[in-house]
Amino acid sequence: MPIDCFTANGMAEANEAVKWLRQHHPERQDLQLETGEFFELLEQGHCPPEEWEADLAELARKRKQTLP
């Protein structure tokens, strides 16, 4: 399940974005890894369009649940 969505110009920039998010948003517990956990960056072109759209819809749904 995706925890966030952002645009990057390639995988190197995407990896840097995760580092930046961790440093500047320490309150985001979903960006802190527990033992045995890992981040996976998904590139839009590497999955079927329907899967991408379904994941984005699920992410939007979860964001609505957490908003005050």
Side-chain angles (χ1 to χ4, degrees):
M1 177 63 227
I3 60 172
D4 219 328
C5 180
F6 55 90
T7 302
N9 290 323
M11 292 305 287
E13 188 174 306
N15 280 310
E16 288 302 314
V18 172
K19 292 176 190 173
W20 187 92
L21 286 167
R22 280 184 182 153
Q23 290 174 345
H24 292 87
H25 295 282
E27 75 283 1
R28 291 277 309 266
Q29 291 301 308
D30 54 357
L31 295 176
Q32 307 305 316
L33 299 176
E34 299 294 330
T35 302
E37 291 184 324
F38 61 93
F39 281 113
E40 181 179 10
L41 301 174
L42 301 176
E43 186 178 349
Q44 183 175 1
H46 287 194
C47 64
E50 61 277 0
E51 184 178 322
W52 183 260
E53 294 302 323
D55 284 346
L56 290 182
E58 179 67 12
L59 180 57
R61 186 186 67 73
K62 287 189 176 242
R63 282 185 177 156
K64 286 180 185 176
Q65 289 178 347
T66 61
L67 292 177

